[in-house]
C-alpha cells in the first residue's frame, strides 16, 4: 500500500488537458478521463476543425475531490494556471484583463451524457470593469451588458444556487417599469406572459440592462451573503466547484439510477474560450446532424438561429430555422458546414450530432458526439456506411444497433407529434409490451370479446389478468393492468403476441363492478377511448394516431449479417399457428416453447377441460383410497366405485384429444419443418376453474352436476403457494392419462402433417422436473403412447425423430443435471421459474421490494428481465457442464423471458447454449444480440491478446 | 455380456444351503442370501443348539425366478434333491415313504422380517398313504389324521389360494352333524361360536377327522381343478412356488412400501424337518425372549403351551402359560431353556426372540432373531450388556438404540392396555408430534385460552393453525388439525414445545361455526372428551389413561456415552425461557434458532405490533414516493407529510423494544452461558394482521383508525406466493428500523444479563439472504445499533462477542456462499425453506402429490422429514465448501426440522457441520444420532481398509 502511494507521488499525474486547433493533449479515446465533450473537443482540434481553444480538468479530479472530502489534489490549481496561460497565448487575450478580457465557458461533461448535472456557465471572466472594456472593444455596449447580466444570473443560479426566480423577478420589475413608462395600460397587473410580449428582452436599452445588472448584483449579494465576485479566477473556481458538486446532486444520482449508469469516475470540467453567436446578423448558432436522425438519409441536417446564443435555441423563445435555409442565405457557410460534416463522418465513422457557433462570419465547432437516432435511422445509417460509404465493416454495423431499439421497428407506434399533445391519464405503468394501441375501455374479458365481436376496438382494463381472461385479452387491441410486473401474466402473454400492454399502473384504482377506473381526479368509464404506449408505460385519454410498422430493406440486410455472424440458434415461444408464422417471418428457426395450456381456453374447450379436471379429482381420490386400502374386499368395492368416474375421465380426455391434435397440426404446418419443443401441461389445475360462486354455479349447471361438488373441488385444489404447488410434471405423475393424451395428440398430429409431405421435428418437453425419476416416468408414458400408436397404425418406426427432454427450472434439476441428462435428450432452461426458486422471489409479488433492491444496488438489474448471471447464471452454467458430462451432444436452450433480453442472450452465448427462444416480437432482438455476443467475444479475445 | 454369462456357468452358483446340528453350509452373517430365519437356523446349528435339520433355498433364486419370468435357474431342482437326500440321511427317514414318512415345514424368510408374505406350511409330505403309516408308527391315529387335515387346509389355503372359508365350512358341517348326533338342541341353527364351544376341535374322533380329510380333499379339487397332490415332491415344489410367489403379493409390496424396505433380492425358502409339539403331554411349543422385552430385565421371558403346535398359540384358542410356570411343571426343561438363553446371548451379544418345540420331552429350537423391545428395555439392555455382562462395548451399545425410538422416553404415553380398548374417532391423521394428550374438544384458540384459564384441560381442534392461534395452542394439552402435513404450522410448533399433535386428519370435517367435528357417522361437540395419540396419529373418543415419562438411569448413561463419542454439537430451536430450560435439561448446548416472531403474538404485544405494521406501510409508501419525485418542491411536501407517520412508526417500535428485550433477557438467563442464535423477523407482515372483516374492524376500533385503511393495508400486503414473498431480510431492508429495534433489544438484553454475572453469547442471524449485499446492509444496520448503544452507555467495546451470520435457505445463497461468507461469520442451513425452494415444493401444498411421489419411488423419503441428500444436500455441501474457502473457521449449523432427524444428522456429520439444532424434544435423538454417525463412519472406514 505504502509502496503504491509512493509510486503515485513519484510519477506526477496529469490533471488538466489543453486543446487548441491542431494541438491537443487528449483525444477521442480518452472519454473516461476527459468526459465525452472534452475528449471530442480535443479530437476535433487534432483533425484541424475550428474549435475555440480551452482545457479539460479530468474526471479523476472529480473522484479525488469526493474521496478527500471535497478537496482538490495538490498541484491542480498550479496546473490549471499553466493552462490559463496557454489559453491566453492561443487567444492573445488576458484572463482578468479589463480592456480585452478573455471570457470562457465552463461546462460539465462525464463519459456518458447526463442531463441531471450542471450544464453551462457562459461569459465567465466578465466583471464590473471588464464589461466596460468589452463594450468599448466590440463597440456594442448592449451586447456587453446583456452578456454580463446573463453571466450574473447563470453564475448565481447554476453555480451558487440562487433561485432562478429571484432574478426573473427583477427582470419583471424592470419590464413593468418600462411598460409604465410606455403608458401601457394595467402595467402593474399584467400577467407575465403578456408583459413579455409587450416588453421583450430586446426592448431593453443599455441603461435598462445596466439597471438590471445592478439589481442582479443585489439579488446575488442578498442570497449568497457576498458581493458578486470581481476576480475572474475566483469566478472560475466557484464554477469548477459547482460542476464537481453537481456530480452528486439528487437529479444526477437519480438519472444515473434510472439509466443504470455505473462505474464512472465522475465528471470532467471543460473551460473553453467564449465565442459569440449574438454579435449581430453575421453571427449565429446551431446544431447539426451528419445524417437525418429520423430517416437516416445521408444529408446535412440541423437547425440554426442568427444573432443568437445557444441558450436562445434551447429556451425556445425564437424558432430556429432549418439548415436548408442557410443554403439560400449563406451558401459559403453552408458549404463549410457540409465539408465539416463529411470530415466528421469520415473521421468518426459514425453519425455525429454537433454544435456550432458563427462569430462575425467565422465558424467554430463547440461539440460533437455520436448522434441519437431512431431505430429506423440507426439501421439505415449502419447499412449505408457499409454498402455505400464503405466506412465500416458489416461486423461494426451489427455492433452499432442497440438490440432493444429495433423493437420499435416491429410494432405500430404513436405519431410522435400527436403523442406530445396527448392527455395523460397515468404514467405509473410499466412498459410491459411495446407498441401503441387505441381502443374503448372495457373492464372484463367477456366484455372485450363481445365488444370485439360487434366490431368495436377495445382496450382490456383489469386489476390483473389470469388465464381465464385469455380470450378477452386476445380480442383487445391492448391490455392495461393496475397490478403486476414485467413478467406478470398480462405482460408475458401480451409480449408473446406482440400486443401492446401497460402493466402495473399502480396509481389507477380499478372499480370493476362500476366498470370504471380512476387516477387522481380523472375517471374513465366503459366505452371511453383510451390510448396505450406500451413502450413507455403511459395511458392517454382519447385516441392518438398510430403509424404501422415497416420492415424496411436495411433492416432485412442487417439481420442477414447478424445471422451470418451468430452461433446461437434463435427460436420462438409460440402457441398458435399465427404466432408461429409471425415468428418465422421474424427469423425464428423453430419453436423453443410451445405452451399447451392456452389451447385449453379457446372456445368450447374450456368446458371439456373443466369437466376433465373435476372428474380427475374423483379418480385421484378413489385411486388414493385404493392404494391405502389393505382389506381386499373394501379395495374391490372401491375399484368398482372407480369405474364410472374413470370412464368419464377418459372420455373427457378423448374429447380434448382431437382439439389438441388439430392445434399441433396447425403449428407443425406453420413451422415448415423447423423443430418444435412442446411443453406438457404446466399450471396448477385450479387456474382453469372459476373461483367465484357465480362461475362455479354456471359450471355446475353446464355440466349438470352438484354446485357443492364444484365448489369443494375448487376449494380442495386451493394452494398457499401455487408457484411451488401441484403443477408441471407433478400433474403428469398424478394424472398420467393427461400426459398420455398430450403425447398422443402430438405424435398423431406429426404423423398427419408428415403425411402431407411436410417435415416435422417434435420435441416433447416435461416441465418442472426436479428429480430425474419424474422425467423417467413421464418419458415412459410418452414412449408407451408412441408404442400404442405404432401398433394401431402398424408402423415399424415413426417416420420422424421424437426427442424427449425437460425444462431445467427447478434448482434441484440444475444441481443434479448429470443425472437428469441420462434421461433427457435436451434441456431448456426455464429461467423465469429458475429465477423465482433460486432467488426465492415470487414474480407476482416481488414488486413490493424489488424496486428497493435495485435502488440499493442489491441487484444490478431486475433478475426477471435480465438473467442474474452471478447467481441463477451459476446454476445454468453448472447444469450445462453437468449435463454435457453425461451427454456430449445435449441440446441446450433457454425459453424463459430472458431469451429475448440482449444481455441474457450474451450470457447464453458465453455459456455455450445451442439456442435461445423468445416471444415472436423479440426474435430479431435475439438474432442481433447473438451476433453481437460473437463479435464482443472476438473483441475481448483480441483485447486479451494485445495485452 | 457373453463372457459374463460364461463365467457364471463355469463357476456354478450354490442355490441351496444345508443345516443340521453341528453342520451348516451357512451362518448368521448370510442374512441377505439365506434370509434372517435361514441364516439363524444355520448359526444355531453351528453353535450346537438342537435344531431340526433342513435346508434353505437362497434369496438369489427368488430374484432369478422373477428375472426370468417365474422360471427357476437350471440345476436348482437337482441341488434341492441332493439336499433332500442329506436330510433323509440326517433324520433316517424317507421323503415319500409311506411307513415312516419324512415330514417337513416350508417357510418363507427374507433378510428383513415381513409379515405380508406367506408364512408357513406344516406337515408337508403327508399323503393318503403316508397318513396311515404315521398313524401306525406313532400309534396315534388321531394325531396323524389331524396333522393331515391341517396340512390339506394349510396347503390349499396358503399355497394354492383356496379360500380358508371353504375349509371352515366343512369343519362346521361335520361339527353340526356331531352336535345333531349328540342331540344338542338347535344344532342346525347354532351360531359358529356356540357350536365351537359345544363341539371343540378336540371332540372330533379319528373317524370324524377322516371324514374331514375326505371333505377337504373334495374342496381342494373343486377349487383347484386337480386332486390333492399325492407326491410329496410335487407338494414341495408347489409350496416353494407359493413362497416365492408371495414375495410380490399386494400385502408384501404394501408392507415394503410402508416400512420403506428396499434393496432386497427376495425371500429365501426354508425346508425343515417337522417336530411336533402336539404329540401328547410331554410335547409342547413356545416362544421366549432372552430378556424381558418391556422392562429389559435380565430374565428368561416367554410363553408356552403343552400338547400344541405353534399355530395354536398364534390362533389364540388356548391361552399360553408364562414361562415361569414351566419352572414348576418341568424344571429340567426350564433349565435347558435357561442354558440356551445364556448361550444365545453370549453368542449373539444381543437380546434374542426365539421359538421352540418340545417333542416327546426333547427340545428343539425353531428360530431365533434379535428381539423387539420397548425403548425403555432397549436402553436398559444395552447399558446392562456393557456394564454388567460386559458382552458389548459402549460404542456397540450406542449403535443399538434406534434414535427415533427414544422419543417414547420423553413424552407421556397412553397405557397400552387402555389404549387397545379405546374407541377410535379417526386414524387418518399424521403422527405430527409424539406423546399422548387428553382433554375436552374446543374449536377456537380463544376458547382454548378461556377454558384453560377456568381450569379445564382442552384439545384444540382446527382446520389448520396459524400464528394467530399460538396462545390457544399453548393453552391446549394437544392439537388436532384436519389439514396440513408433518411440517405444517401446528406440527412444527407442537414438536417445538413437545406437545402432542395429530395433524392433517383428512377424514375429519371441521364445522367450526357449529363448534363440532365429524368423522364418518360420529360427531364430537365442544366439551366432549377426546384423546390424541401423537405418535400414531390416532384420535379417540373419551379419556384414555396416560403414563408420565421417566428419565431413567440407563437413559442418562447411554446419552453420556453418546456425548463422549459425537463430534457434532447439538443445539435447540427455542423461543422462550421455558423451552430453553427444557432443551438444556435434554442436553442442548445452546440455541441454534430463536425465532423472534412468536414473541409478538403474546398478550398486548400483538396490538403494538399491528400498529407498527399499519403505520410502516404509510411510511414506506411515502418514502417510495419521495424517492421517485424529481420535483424538489413536491418532494419537500412529501417529506413534510412523512413526518407524522414516521414519528408514529418509531414510537410503535419503541413500545416493542422493552418487551422484546425482556424476552431475550429471559432466554439468555435460561441458557446459562450457552450461545444463542437469534433470527430477525421472518414471516411476511400480513401474517400478523387479521384477514377477516370482523378482526379488521376490531383492530381499526382498537387503534382508532379508519376501517378502510386497515382493510386496504391488509389487501395491499396480500401475496400470491407468500413463501417467496416480502419476508425475511427483505423486511429488514425495506423497514430498516425494525432490524435496528431488534438488534438493540438483543444487545441491551445481553448487556443487562451480563451485568448479572451470566455469560452471554448472542449470535444475530439474518434470514432469507440470497445475495451477500442483503447481508451487508443488515449487518451494517446491526453494527450501527451497536455503535449507538456503545455511545449511549459510554462503552469502548461490548463485554461479549456478537457474531453476525445468516441462514442459508435460498438456493442462490448456497451457490454464492463464497461471497456470502465474506460477510457472514456463521451459516445456519435453513433446510426447510432450502428444500422448498430447491425442490420447488411448498410444504403447505406438497401433500397433494408427495404421497404419490413416495409410492412411485421418486423420493426415498419425504424430503421435509429427512434431508434430500442427493439434491438439497448437494447445495448444503457446496455452500459448506464455498463458505470454508472464504472463511476457514466458518461456524456451520442446521436449524431446519431436519436437525432432529437421525438420517439427516448423519448427513450433517458427514458434511462437517459444526452443530445441528432441533426442537427440545428431539435433542436426545440428535445427540444419539450424532454419536452413531461417528461410529458408522469408523465402521465404514474399517470396512474399506479390510477390502
Amino acid at each position: 500500500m505504502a509502496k503504491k502511494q509512493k509510486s503515485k507521488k513519484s510519477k506526477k499525474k496529469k490533471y488538466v488537458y489543453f486543446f487548441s486547433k491542431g494541438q491537443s493533449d487528449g483525444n477521442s479515446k480518452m472519454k473516461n478521463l476527459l468526459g465525452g465533450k472534452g475528449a471530442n473537443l480535443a479530437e476535433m482540434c487534432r483533425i484541424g476543425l475550428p474549435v475555440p481553444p480551452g482545457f479539460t480538468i479530468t474526471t479523476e479530479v472529480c473522484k479525488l475531490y469526493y474521496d478527500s472530502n471535497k478537496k482538490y489534489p495538490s498541484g491542480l490549481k498550479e496546473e490549471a494556471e499553466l493552462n490559463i496561460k496557454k489559453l491566453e497565448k492561443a487567444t492573445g487575450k488576458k484572463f482578468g484583463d479589463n480592456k480585452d478580457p478573455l471570457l470562457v465557458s465552463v461546462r460539465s461533461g462525464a463519459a456518458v451524457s447526463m442531463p441531471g448535472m450542471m450544464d453551462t456557465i457562459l461569459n465567465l471572466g466578465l466583471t464590473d470593469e471588464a464589461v466596460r472594456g468589452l463594450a468599448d472593444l466590440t463597440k456594442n455596449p448592449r451586447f456587453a451588458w446583456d452578456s454580463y447580466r446573463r453571466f450574473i444570473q447563470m453564475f448565481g443560479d447554476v453555480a451558487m444556487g440562487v433561485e432562478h426566480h429571484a432574478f426573473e423577478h427583477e427582470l419583471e420589475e424592470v419590464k413593468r417599469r418600462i411598460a409604465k413608462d410606455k403608458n401601457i395600460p394595467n402595467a402593474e397587473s399584467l400577467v407575465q406572459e403578456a408583459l413579455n410580449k409587450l416588453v421583450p428582452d430586446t426592448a431593453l436599452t443599455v441603461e435598462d440592462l445596466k439597471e438590471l445588472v445592478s439589481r442582479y448584483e443585489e439579488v446575488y449579494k442578498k442570497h449568497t451573503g457576498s458581493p458578486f465576485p470581481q476576480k475572474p479566477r475566483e469566478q472560475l473556481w466557484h464554477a469548477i466547484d459547482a460542476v464537481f458538486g453537481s456530480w452528486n446532486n439528487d437529479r444526477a444520482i437519480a438519472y444515473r439510477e434510472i439509466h443504470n449508469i455505473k462505474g464512472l469516475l465522475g465528471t470532467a470540467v471543460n473551460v473553453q474560450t467564449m465565442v459569440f453567436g449574438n454579435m449581430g446578423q453575421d453571427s449565429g448558432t446551431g446544431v447539426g446532424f451528419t445524417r437525418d436522425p429520423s430517416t437516416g438519409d445521408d444529408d446535412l441536417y440541423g437547425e440554426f438561429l442568427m444573432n443568437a446564443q445557444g441558450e436562445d435555441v434551447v429556451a425556445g423563445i425564437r424558432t430556429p430555422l432549418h439548415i436548408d435555409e442557410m443554403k439560400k442565405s449563406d451558401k459559403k457557410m453552408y458549404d463549410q458546414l457540409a465539408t465539416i460534416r463529411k470530415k466528421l463522418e469520415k473521421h468518426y465513422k459514425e453519425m455525429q450530432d454537433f454544435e456550432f457557433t458563427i462569430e462575425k462570419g467565422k465558424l467554430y465547432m463547440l461539440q460533437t458526439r455520436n448522434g441519437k437516432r431512431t431505430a429506423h435511422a440507426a439501421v439505415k445509417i449502419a447499412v449505408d456506411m457499409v454498402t455505400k460509404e464503405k466506412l465500416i465493416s458489416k461486423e461494426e454495423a451489427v455492433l452499432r444497433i442497440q438490440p432493444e431499439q429495433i423493437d420499435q421497428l416491429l410494432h405500430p407506434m404513436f405519431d410522435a407529434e400527436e403523442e406530445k399533445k396527448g392527455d395523460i391519464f397515468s404514467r405509473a405503468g410499466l412498459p410491459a409490451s411495446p407498441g401503441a394501441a387505441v381502443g374503448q375501455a372495457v373492464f372484463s374479458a367477456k366484455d372485450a370479446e363481445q365488444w370485439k365481436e360487434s366490431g368495436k376496438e377495445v382496450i382490456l382494463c383489469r386489476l390483473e389478468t389470469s388465464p381465464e381472461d385469455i380470450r378477452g385479452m386476445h380480442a383487445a387491441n391492448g391490455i392495461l393492468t393496475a397490478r403486476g410486473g414485467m413478467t406478470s401474466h398480462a405482460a408475458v402473454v401480451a409480449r408473446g403476441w406482440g400486443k401492446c400492454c401497460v402493466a402495473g399502473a399502480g396509481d389507477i384504482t380499478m372499480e370493476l363492478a362500476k366498470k370504471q377506473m380512476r387516477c387522481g381526479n380523472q375517471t374513465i368509464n366503459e366505452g371511453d377511448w383510451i390510448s396505450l404506449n406500451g413502450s413507455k408505460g403511459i395511458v392517454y385519454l382519447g385516441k392518438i394516431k398510430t403509424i404501422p410498422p415497416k420492415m424496411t430493406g436495411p433492416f432485412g440486410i442487417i439481420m442477414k449479417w447478424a445471422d451470418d455472424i451468430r452461433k446461437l440458434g434463435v427460436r420462438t415461444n409460440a402457441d398458435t399457428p399465427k404466432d408461429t408464422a409471425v415468428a418465422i417471418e421474424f427469423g425464428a428457426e423453430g419453436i423453443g416453447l410451445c405452451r399447451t395450456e392456452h389451447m385449453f381456453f379457446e372456445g368450447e374447450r374450456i368446458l371439456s377441460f373443466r369437466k376433465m379436471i373435476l372428474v380427475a379429482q374423483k379418480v385421484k381420490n378413489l385411486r388414493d383410497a385404493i392404494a391405502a386400502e389393505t382389506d381386499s374386499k373394501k379395495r374391490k368395492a372401491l375399484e368398482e366405485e372407480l369405474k364410472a368416474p374413470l370412464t368419464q375421465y377418459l372420455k373427457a380426455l378423448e374429447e380434448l384429444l382431437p382439439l389438441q391434435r388439430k392445434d399441433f397440426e396447425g403449428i407443425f404446418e406453420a413451422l415448415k419443418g423447423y423443430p418444435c419443443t412442446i411443453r406438457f401441461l404446466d399450471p396448477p389445475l385450479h387456474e382453469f376453474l372459476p373461483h367465484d360462486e357465480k362461475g362455479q354455479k354456471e359450471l355446475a349447471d353446464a355440466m349438470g352436476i352438484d354446485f357443492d361438488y364444484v365448489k369443494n373441488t375448487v376449494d380442495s385444489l386451493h394452494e398457499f403457494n401455487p408457484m411451488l404447488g401441484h403443477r408441471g410434471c407433478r400433474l403428469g405423475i398424478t394424472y398420467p392419462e393427461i400426459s398420455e393424451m398430450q403425447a398422443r395428440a402430438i405424435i398423431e398430429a406429426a404423423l398427419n402433417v408428415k403425411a402431407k409431405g411436410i417435415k416435422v421435428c417434435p420435441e416433447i418437453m416435461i416441465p418442472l422436473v426436479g428429480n430425474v425419476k419424474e422425467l423417467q416416468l413421464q418419458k415412459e408414458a410418452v414412449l408407451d403412447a408412441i408404442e400404442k400408436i405404432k401398433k394401431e397404425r402398424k408402423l415399424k418406426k415413426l417416420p420422424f425423430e421424437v426427442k424427449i427432454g425437460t425444462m431445467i427450472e427447478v434448482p434441484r434439476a440444475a444441481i443434479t443435471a448429470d443425472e437428469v441428462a441420462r434421461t433427457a435428450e435436451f434441456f431448456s432452461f426455464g429461467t423465469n421459474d429458475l429465477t423465482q426458486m433460486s432467488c426465492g422471489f415470487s414474480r407476482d409479488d416481488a414488486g413490493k421490494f424489488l424496486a428497493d433492491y435495485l435502488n440499493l444496488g442489491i441487484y444490478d438489474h431486475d433478475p426477471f428481465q435480465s438473467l442474474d448471471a452471478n447467481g441463477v447464471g451459476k446454476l445454468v452454467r453448472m447444469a450445462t457442464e453437468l449435463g454435457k458430462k453425461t451427454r456430449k451432444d445435449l441440446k441446450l436452450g433457454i425459453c424463459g423471458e430472458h431469451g429475448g433480453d440482449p444481455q441474457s442472450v450474451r450470457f447464453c452465448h458465453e455459456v455455450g447454449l445451442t439456442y435461445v427462444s423468445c416471444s415472436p416480437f423479440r426474435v430479431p432482438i435475439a438474432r442481433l444480440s447473438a451476433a453481437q455476443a460473437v463479435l464482443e467475444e472476438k473483441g475481448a479475445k483480441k483485447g486479451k491478446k494485445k495485452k
Side-chain angles (χ1 to χ4, degrees), chain A residues 475-530:
Chain A
N477 288 354
I479 298 154
L480 166 64
T481 67
R483 273 201 208 152
M486 288 298 286
T487 49
S488 62
H489 179 260
V492 171
V493 171
R495 277 203 296 282
W497 291 334
K499 189 176 295 254
C500 171
C501 174
V502 172
D507 58 354
I508 297 180
T509 309
M510 287 283 170
E511 311 243 26
L512 300 177
K514 291 191 198 163
K515 299 201 174 185
Q516 62 173 217
M517 58 185 173
R518 283 184 292 105
C519 183
N521 51 10
Q522 293 182 306
T523 301
I524 287 174
N525 290 298
E526 186 178 43
D528 289 352
W529 284 90
I530 59 173

Side-chain angles (χ1 to χ4, degrees), chain A residues 100-168:
Chain A
D100 186 6
L102 171 61
L103 303 186
V104 297
S105 63
V106 177
R107 288 183 170 95
S108 66
V112 175
S113 161
M114 207 177 298
M117 283 190 328
M118 194 204 87
D119 191 24
T120 301
I121 294 173
L122 299 178
N123 306 341
L124 189 141
L126 278 178
T127 61
D128 291 352
E129 285 299 312
V131 67
R132 290 168 211 283
L134 186 65
D136 292 347
L137 189 77
T138 58
K139 297 192 178 86
N140 191 343
R142 206 186 169 284
F143 158 72
W145 286 97
D146 191 40
S147 297
Y148 193 32
R149 72 106 183 164
R150 283 171 190 252
F151 170 50
I152 298 170
Q153 176 168 359
M154 242 188 257
F155 184 87
D157 172 11
V158 173
M160 305 303 290
V162 181
E163 270 190 41
H164 188 68
H165 174 74
F167 293 111
E168 291 302 320

Side-chain angles (χ1 to χ4, degrees), chain A residues 14 16-28 30 34 38-49 51-56 83 86:
Chain A
K14 182 172 173 68
V16 185
Y17 284 70
F18 189 73
F19 58 85
S20 174
K21 189 173 172 179
Q23 175 204 358
S24 286
D25 295 346
N27 64 53
S28 67
M30 298 166 82
L34 305 180
N40 277 327
L41 284 170
E43 188 75 14
M44 283 198 291
C45 289
R46 274 183 188 268
I47 62 171
L49 294 184
V51 174
F55 57 85
T56 305
N83 275 274
K86 274 170 111 172

Side-chain angles (χ1 to χ4, degrees), chain A residues 143 202 336 344 530 850 907:
Chain A
F143 158 72
T202 45
Q336 207 177 331
L344 277 175
I530 59 173
L850 215 46
F907 174 84

Side-chain angles (χ1 to χ4, degrees), chain A residues 928-945:
Chain A
L928 184 61
S929 304
Q932 292 184 345
V934 173
L935 298 174
E936 279 161 16
E937 193 178 49
K938 270 189 196 161
K941 272 189 193 154
K942 244 189 201 167
K944 260 192 189 167
K945 262 192 193 164

Side-chain angles (χ1 to χ4, degrees), chain A residues 13 38 49 70 221 341 384 424 546 590 653 756 808 892:
Chain A
K13 271 256 153 138
L49 294 184
K70 301 205 179 181
K221 196 173 169 185
R341 159 178 110 90
D384 281 354
I424 291 178
T546 58
L653 283 168
K756 292 187 192 170
I808 301 285
L892 295 155

